[in-house]
Coordinates of all heavy atoms in Angstrom, one line a residue:
M241 N -13.6 -16.2 -8.9 CA -12.7 -15.4 -8.1 C -12.3 -14.1 -8.9 O -12.0 -14.2 -10.1 CB -11.4 -16.2 -7.8 CG -11.6 -17.1 -6.6 SD -11.5 -16.4 -5.0 CE -9.7 -16.0 -4.9
A242 N -12.3 -13.0 -8.2 CA -11.9 -11.8 -8.9 C -10.3 -11.9 -9.1 O -9.6 -12.4 -8.2 CB -12.2 -10.6 -8.0
E243 N -9.9 -11.3 -10.2 CA -8.5 -11.3 -10.4 C -7.9 -10.0 -9.8 O -7.7 -9.0 -10.6 CB -8.2 -11.4 -11.9 CG -8.5 -12.7 -12.5 CD -8.2 -12.7 -14.0 OE1 -7.2 -12.2 -14.4 OE2 -9.0 -13.2 -14.7
D244 N -7.6 -10.1 -8.6 CA -7.0 -8.9 -8.0 C -5.5 -9.0 -7.9 O -4.9 -9.9 -7.3 CB -7.5 -8.7 -6.5 CG -9.0 -8.3 -6.5 OD1 -9.4 -7.7 -7.5 OD2 -9.7 -8.6 -5.5
K245 N -4.9 -8.2 -8.7 CA -3.4 -8.2 -8.7 C -2.9 -7.0 -8.0 O -3.6 -6.0 -7.8 CB -2.9 -8.1 -10.2 CG -3.2 -9.4 -11.0 CD -2.1 -10.4 -10.8 CE -2.4 -11.8 -11.3 NZ -2.4 -11.8 -12.7
C246 N -1.7 -7.1 -7.5 CA -1.1 -6.0 -6.8 C -1.0 -4.8 -7.7 O -0.7 -4.8 -8.8 CB 0.3 -6.4 -6.3 SG 1.2 -5.2 -5.4
G247 N -1.4 -3.6 -7.1 CA -1.4 -2.4 -7.9 C -0.2 -1.6 -7.9 O -0.1 -0.5 -8.5
V248 N 0.9 -2.1 -7.3 CA 2.1 -1.4 -7.3 C 2.9 -1.5 -8.6 O 2.9 -2.6 -9.2 CB 3.1 -1.9 -6.1 CG1 4.4 -1.2 -6.2 CG2 2.4 -1.6 -4.8
A249 N 3.4 -0.5 -9.1 CA 4.1 -0.5 -10.4 C 5.2 -1.6 -10.4 O 6.0 -1.7 -9.5 CB 4.7 0.9 -10.7
G250 N 5.2 -2.4 -11.5 CA 6.2 -3.4 -11.7 C 5.9 -4.7 -10.9 O 6.7 -5.6 -11.0
C251 N 4.8 -4.7 -10.1 CA 4.5 -5.9 -9.4 C 3.3 -6.6 -9.9 O 2.3 -6.0 -10.3 CB 4.3 -5.5 -7.9 SG 4.0 -6.9 -6.8
N252 N 3.3 -7.9 -10.0 CA 2.2 -8.7 -10.6 C 1.8 -9.8 -9.7 O 1.2 -10.8 -10.1 CB 2.7 -9.2 -12.0 CG 1.5 -9.4 -12.8 OD1 0.4 -8.7 -12.7 ND2 1.6 -10.3 -13.8
E253 N 2.0 -9.6 -8.4 CA 1.6 -10.7 -7.5 C 0.1 -10.6 -7.1 O -0.5 -9.6 -7.3 CB 2.4 -10.5 -6.2 CG 3.9 -10.7 -6.3 CD 4.3 -12.1 -6.7 OE1 3.7 -13.0 -6.1 OE2 5.1 -12.3 -7.7
P254 N -0.5 -11.7 -6.7 CA -1.9 -11.7 -6.3 C -2.1 -10.8 -5.1 O -1.2 -10.8 -4.2 CB -2.2 -13.2 -6.0 CG -1.0 -13.9 -6.0 CD 0.1 -13.1 -6.7
A255 N -3.2 -10.1 -5.1 CA -3.4 -9.2 -4.0 C -4.0 -9.9 -2.7 O -4.7 -10.8 -2.9 CB -4.3 -8.1 -4.4
V256 N -3.6 -9.4 -1.6 CA -4.2 -9.9 -0.4 C -5.1 -8.9 0.3 O -5.9 -9.2 1.2 CB -3.1 -10.4 0.6 CG1 -2.4 -11.7 0.0 CG2 -2.1 -9.4 1.0
K257 N -4.8 -7.6 0.0 CA -5.5 -6.5 0.7 C -5.8 -5.4 -0.3 O -5.1 -5.3 -1.3 CB -4.7 -6.0 1.8 CG -4.6 -6.9 3.0 CD -5.7 -6.5 4.0 CE -5.5 -7.2 5.3 NZ -6.7 -6.9 6.2
S258 N -6.7 -4.5 0.0 CA -6.9 -3.3 -0.8 C -7.1 -2.1 0.1 O -7.7 -2.2 1.2 CB -8.0 -3.5 -1.8 OG -9.2 -3.2 -1.2
Y259 N -6.5 -1.0 -0.3 CA -6.6 0.2 0.5 C -6.9 1.3 -0.5 O -6.9 1.1 -1.7 CB -5.2 0.5 1.1 CG -4.7 -0.5 2.1 CD1 -3.9 -1.5 1.6 CD2 -5.1 -0.5 3.4 CE1 -3.4 -2.5 2.5 CE2 -4.6 -1.5 4.3 CZ -3.8 -2.5 3.8 OH -3.4 -3.4 4.6
S260 N -7.1 2.5 0.0 CA -7.3 3.6 -0.9 C -6.0 4.0 -1.5 O -5.0 3.9 -0.8 CB -7.9 4.8 -0.2 OG -6.9 5.5 0.6
R261 N -6.0 4.4 -2.8 CA -4.8 4.6 -3.5 C -4.0 5.7 -2.8 O -2.7 5.7 -2.7 CB -5.1 5.0 -4.9 CG -3.8 5.0 -5.8 CD -4.2 5.2 -7.2 NE -5.0 6.4 -7.5 CZ -4.5 7.6 -7.6 NH1 -3.2 7.7 -7.5 NH2 -5.2 8.6 -7.8
E262 N -4.7 6.7 -2.3 CA -4.0 7.8 -1.7 C -3.2 7.4 -0.5 O -2.0 7.8 -0.3 CB -5.1 8.8 -1.2 CG -4.6 10.2 -1.1 CD -5.7 11.1 -0.5 OE1 -6.9 10.8 -0.7 OE2 -5.3 12.1 0.1
T263 N -3.8 6.6 0.3 CA -3.1 6.1 1.5 C -1.9 5.3 1.2 O -0.8 5.4 1.8 CB -4.1 5.1 2.3 OG1 -5.3 5.8 2.4 CG2 -3.5 4.8 3.7
V264 N -2.0 4.5 0.1 CA -0.9 3.6 -0.3 C 0.3 4.5 -0.8 O 1.4 4.3 -0.5 CB -1.3 2.7 -1.4 CG1 -0.1 1.9 -2.0 CG2 -2.3 1.7 -0.8
E265 N -0.1 5.5 -1.6 CA 1.0 6.4 -2.1 C 1.6 7.2 -1.0 O 2.8 7.5 -1.1 CB 0.4 7.3 -3.2 CG 0.1 6.5 -4.4 CD -0.4 7.4 -5.6 OE1 -1.0 8.4 -5.4 OE2 -0.1 7.0 -6.7
K266 N 0.9 7.6 0.0 CA 1.4 8.3 1.1 C 2.5 7.4 1.8 O 3.4 7.9 2.5 CB 0.3 8.7 2.1 CG -0.2 10.1 1.8 CD -1.2 10.5 2.9 CE -2.0 11.7 2.4 NZ -3.3 11.8 3.2
A267 N 2.2 6.1 1.8 CA 3.2 5.2 2.5 C 4.4 5.0 1.6 O 5.3 4.3 2.0 CB 2.5 3.9 2.7
G268 N 4.5 5.7 0.4 CA 5.7 5.6 -0.4 C 5.7 4.5 -1.5 O 6.7 4.3 -2.1
L269 N 4.5 3.9 -1.7 CA 4.4 2.9 -2.7 C 3.9 3.5 -4.0 O 3.0 4.3 -3.9 CB 3.5 1.7 -2.3 CG 4.1 0.9 -1.1 CD1 3.0 -0.1 -0.6 CD2 5.3 0.2 -1.5
K270 N 4.5 3.1 -5.1 CA 4.1 3.7 -6.4 C 3.0 3.0 -7.1 O 3.2 1.8 -7.3 CB 5.3 3.8 -7.3 CG 5.2 4.8 -8.4 CD 6.6 4.9 -9.1 CE 6.6 6.0 -10.1 NZ 5.7 5.9 -11.2
A271 N 1.9 3.6 -7.4 CA 0.8 2.9 -8.0 C 1.1 2.7 -9.5 O 1.7 3.6 -10.2 CB -0.5 3.7 -7.9
A272 N 0.7 1.6 -10.1 CA 1.0 1.3 -11.5 C 0.1 2.2 -12.4 O 0.6 2.6 -13.4 CB 0.8 -0.2 -11.8
E273 N -1.1 2.4 -12.0 CA -1.9 3.3 -12.8 C -2.6 4.3 -11.9 O -2.8 4.1 -10.7 CB -3.0 2.5 -13.5 CG -3.6 1.4 -12.7 CD -4.6 0.6 -13.6 OE1 -5.6 1.2 -14.1 OE2 -4.4 -0.6 -13.9
E274 N -3.0 5.4 -12.5 CA -3.5 6.5 -11.7 C -4.9 6.5 -11.5 O -5.5 7.3 -10.7 CB -3.1 7.8 -12.4 CG -1.6 7.9 -12.7 CD -1.0 9.3 -12.4 OE1 -1.8 10.2 -12.5 OE2 0.2 9.5 -12.2
K275 N -5.6 5.7 -12.3 CA -7.1 5.7 -12.1 C -7.5 4.7 -11.0 O -6.8 3.7 -10.7 CB -7.8 5.4 -13.4 CG -7.3 4.1 -14.0 CD -7.9 3.9 -15.4 CE -7.4 2.7 -16.1 NZ -7.9 2.6 -17.4
G276 N -8.7 5.0 -10.4 CA -9.2 4.1 -9.4 C -8.8 4.6 -8.0 O -7.7 5.1 -7.8
K277 N -9.8 4.5 -7.1 CA -9.5 5.0 -5.8 C -9.0 3.9 -4.9 O -8.4 4.1 -3.9 CB -10.8 5.5 -5.2 CG -11.2 6.8 -5.8 CD -12.3 7.5 -5.1 CE -12.6 8.9 -5.7 NZ -13.7 9.5 -5.0
R278 N -9.3 2.6 -5.3 CA -8.8 1.5 -4.5 C -7.5 1.0 -5.1 O -7.3 1.0 -6.3 CB -9.8 0.4 -4.4 CG -11.1 0.8 -3.9 CD -11.1 1.2 -2.5 NE -10.8 0.0 -1.6 CZ -10.6 0.2 -0.3 NH1 -10.8 1.4 0.3 NH2 -10.4 -0.9 0.5
M279 N -6.7 0.5 -4.2 CA -5.4 -0.1 -4.7 C -5.2 -1.4 -4.0 O -5.3 -1.5 -2.8 CB -4.3 0.9 -4.5 CG -3.1 0.5 -5.3 SD -1.9 1.8 -5.1 CE -0.4 0.8 -5.3
H280 N -4.9 -2.5 -4.8 CA -4.7 -3.8 -4.1 C -3.2 -3.9 -3.9 O -2.3 -3.5 -4.6 CB -5.1 -4.9 -5.1 CG -6.6 -4.8 -5.3 ND1 -7.5 -5.3 -4.4 CD2 -7.3 -4.3 -6.4 CE1 -8.8 -5.1 -4.9 NE2 -8.7 -4.5 -6.1
L281 N -2.9 -4.6 -2.8 CA -1.5 -4.9 -2.5 C -1.3 -6.4 -2.3 O -2.1 -7.1 -1.7 CB -1.1 -4.2 -1.2 CG -1.1 -2.6 -1.2 CD1 -0.7 -2.1 0.1 CD2 -0.2 -2.1 -2.3
C282 N -0.2 -6.9 -2.7 CA 0.2 -8.3 -2.5 C 0.8 -8.4 -1.1 O 0.9 -7.4 -0.4 CB 1.2 -8.7 -3.5 SG 2.8 -7.9 -3.4
K283 N 1.1 -9.6 -0.8 CA 1.6 -9.9 0.6 C 2.8 -9.0 0.9 O 2.9 -8.4 2.0 CB 1.9 -11.4 0.6 CG 1.9 -12.0 2.0 CD 2.1 -13.5 1.9 CE 2.7 -14.0 3.2 NZ 3.2 -15.4 3.0
E284 N 3.8 -9.0 0.0 CA 5.0 -8.3 0.3 C 4.8 -6.8 0.4 O 5.3 -6.1 1.3 CB 6.0 -8.5 -0.9 CG 7.0 -9.6 -0.6 CD 7.6 -9.7 0.8 OE1 8.3 -8.7 1.1 OE2 7.3 -10.6 1.5
H285 N 4.0 -6.2 -0.5 CA 3.7 -4.8 -0.5 C 2.8 -4.4 0.7 O 2.9 -3.3 1.2 CB 3.2 -4.3 -1.9 CG 4.3 -4.2 -2.9 ND1 4.2 -4.9 -4.1 CD2 5.4 -3.5 -2.9 CE1 5.3 -4.6 -4.8 NE2 6.0 -3.7 -4.0
N286 N 2.0 -5.3 1.0 CA 1.1 -5.1 2.2 C 2.0 -5.0 3.5 O 1.8 -4.1 4.3 CB 0.1 -6.2 2.4 CG -0.8 -6.0 3.5 OD1 -1.4 -4.9 3.6 ND2 -1.1 -7.0 4.3
K287 N 3.0 -5.8 3.5 CA 4.0 -5.7 4.6 C 4.7 -4.4 4.6 O 4.9 -3.7 5.6 CB 5.0 -6.9 4.4 CG 5.5 -7.4 5.8 CD 6.7 -8.3 5.5 CE 6.3 -9.7 5.0 NZ 7.4 -10.6 4.8
Q288 N 5.2 -4.0 3.4 CA 5.9 -2.7 3.3 C 5.0 -1.6 3.7 O 5.4 -0.6 4.3 CB 6.3 -2.5 1.8 CG 7.7 -3.1 1.5 CD 8.0 -2.7 0.1 OE1 7.8 -1.5 -0.4 NE2 8.6 -3.6 -0.7
F289 N 3.8 -1.7 3.2 CA 2.8 -0.6 3.5 C 2.6 -0.5 5.0 O 2.6 0.6 5.6 CB 1.5 -1.0 2.8 CG 0.3 -0.1 3.2 CD1 0.2 1.2 2.7 CD2 -0.6 -0.5 4.1 CE1 -0.8 2.0 3.0 CE2 -1.7 0.3 4.4 CZ -1.8 1.6 3.9
K290 N 2.4 -1.6 5.7 CA 2.1 -1.6 7.1 C 3.3 -1.0 7.8 O 3.2 -0.3 8.8 CB 1.8 -3.0 7.6 CG 0.4 -3.4 7.3 CD 0.1 -4.7 8.1 CE -1.4 -5.0 8.0 NZ -1.7 -6.3 8.5
K291 N 4.5 -1.4 7.4 CA 5.7 -0.9 8.0 C 5.8 0.6 7.9 O 6.1 1.3 8.8 CB 6.9 -1.6 7.4 CG 8.2 -1.6 8.2 CD 9.3 -2.4 7.5 CE 10.6 -2.0 8.1 NZ 11.7 -2.4 7.3
A292 N 5.6 1.0 6.7 CA 5.6 2.5 6.4 C 4.6 3.3 7.2 O 5.0 4.3 7.7 CB 5.4 2.7 4.9
T293 N 3.4 2.8 7.3 CA 2.4 3.5 8.0 C 2.7 3.5 9.5 O 2.4 4.4 10.2 CB 1.0 3.0 7.7 OG1 1.0 1.6 7.9 CG2 0.5 3.3 6.3
K294 N 3.2 2.4 9.9 CA 3.6 2.3 11.4 C 4.7 3.3 11.7 O 4.6 3.9 12.8 CB 4.1 0.8 11.6 CG 4.0 0.4 13.1 CD 4.3 -1.1 13.1 CE 4.9 -1.5 14.5 NZ 5.5 -2.8 14.4
E295 N 5.7 3.4 10.9 CA 6.7 4.3 11.1 C 6.3 5.7 11.1 O 6.7 6.6 11.9 CB 7.9 4.1 10.1 CG 8.8 3.0 10.5 CD 9.7 2.5 9.4 OE1 9.8 3.2 8.4 OE2 10.3 1.5 9.6
E296 N 5.3 6.0 10.2 CA 4.8 7.3 10.2 C 4.1 7.7 11.5 O 4.2 8.8 12.0 CB 3.7 7.4 9.0 CG 3.5 8.8 8.6 CD 2.6 8.7 7.3 OE1 3.1 8.3 6.3 OE2 1.4 9.1 7.4
R297 N 3.3 6.7 12.0 CA 2.6 6.9 13.3 C 3.6 7.1 14.4 O 3.4 7.9 15.3 CB 1.7 5.8 13.6 CG 0.3 6.0 13.1 CD -0.6 5.0 13.6 NE -1.5 4.5 12.4 CZ -1.5 3.3 12.0 NH1 -0.9 2.3 12.7 NH2 -2.3 3.0 11.0
K298 N 4.7 6.4 14.3 CA 5.7 6.5 15.4 C 6.3 7.9 15.4 O 6.5 8.5 16.4 CB 6.8 5.5 15.1 CG 7.4 5.0 16.4 CD 8.7 4.2 16.3 CE 8.8 3.2 15.2 NZ 10.0 2.4 15.2
L299 N 6.6 8.4 14.2 CA 7.1 9.8 14.1 C 6.1 10.8 14.6 O 6.5 11.7 15.4 CB 7.4 10.1 12.6 CG 8.7 9.5 12.0 CD1 8.8 9.9 10.6 CD2 9.9 9.9 12.8
E300 N 4.9 10.6 14.3 CA 3.9 11.5 14.8 C 3.8 11.5 16.3 O 3.7 12.5 17.0 CB 2.5 11.1 14.3 CG 2.2 11.7 12.9 CD 1.0 11.2 12.3 OE1 0.1 10.7 13.0 OE2 0.9 11.3 11.0
S301 N 3.9 10.3 16.9 CA 3.8 10.2 18.4 C 5.0 10.8 19.0 O 5.0 11.1 20.2 CB 3.6 8.8 18.8 OG 4.8 8.0 18.5
L302 N 6.1 11.0 18.3 CA 7.3 11.6 18.9 C 7.1 13.1 18.9 O 7.9 13.8 19.4 CB 8.5 11.2 18.1 CG 9.0 9.8 18.3 CD1 10.2 9.6 17.3 CD2 9.5 9.6 19.7
G303 N 6.1 13.6 18.2 CA 5.8 15.0 18.2 C 6.7 15.8 17.3 O 6.9 17.0 17.6
R304 N 7.1 15.2 16.2 CA 8.0 15.9 15.3 C 7.2 16.6 14.2 O 6.3 16.0 13.6 CB 9.0 15.0 14.7 CG 9.9 14.4 15.7 CD 11.0 13.7 15.1 NE 11.9 14.7 14.3 CZ 12.9 14.3 13.5 NH1 13.1 13.0 13.3 NH2 13.6 15.2 12.9
Ligands
ZN147 ZN1 3.1 -6.1 -4.9

């Protein structure tokens, strides 16, 4: 098994998903390291990420 840990600064939980680092940072999550295009997220941060991206889409659909 690959040792995929959450890539968010200060978090050391096992990762459940991976996204591009850029996307994750746009969602307001801070990457622990600047290298690498992929970023892994744990269950909690994945939830935060989804919530953040969802809200962003909601704002866009409001036409602001
Ligand atoms: Zn995490």
Side-chain angles (χ1 to χ4, degrees):
M241 281 279 288
E243 289 182 42
D244 290 336
K245 290 274 167 73
C246 180
V248 175
C251 186
N252 205 29
E253 296 294 315
V256 293
K257 285 267 189 184
S258 81
Y259 301 93
S260 79
R261 191 171 58 80
E262 206 187 331
T263 312
V264 173
E265 288 188 328
K266 269 185 196 162
L269 295 172
K270 199 173 188 298
E273 45 181 294
E274 305 219 340
K275 54 186 173 182
K277 290 191 172 177
R278 303 294 295 174
M279 197 174 147
H280 298 280
L281 294 182
C282 66
K283 202 173 157 191
E284 266 316 296
H285 281 122
N286 185 45
K287 209 191 284 177
Q288 270 186 41
F289 171 77
K290 281 195 172 170
K291 201 176 161 195
T293 50
K294 199 171 153 194
E295 275 166 14
E296 199 173 289
R297 268 189 225 122
K298 212 194 317 183
L299 285 179
E300 274 172 23
S301 68
L302 289 174
R304 298 189 66 187

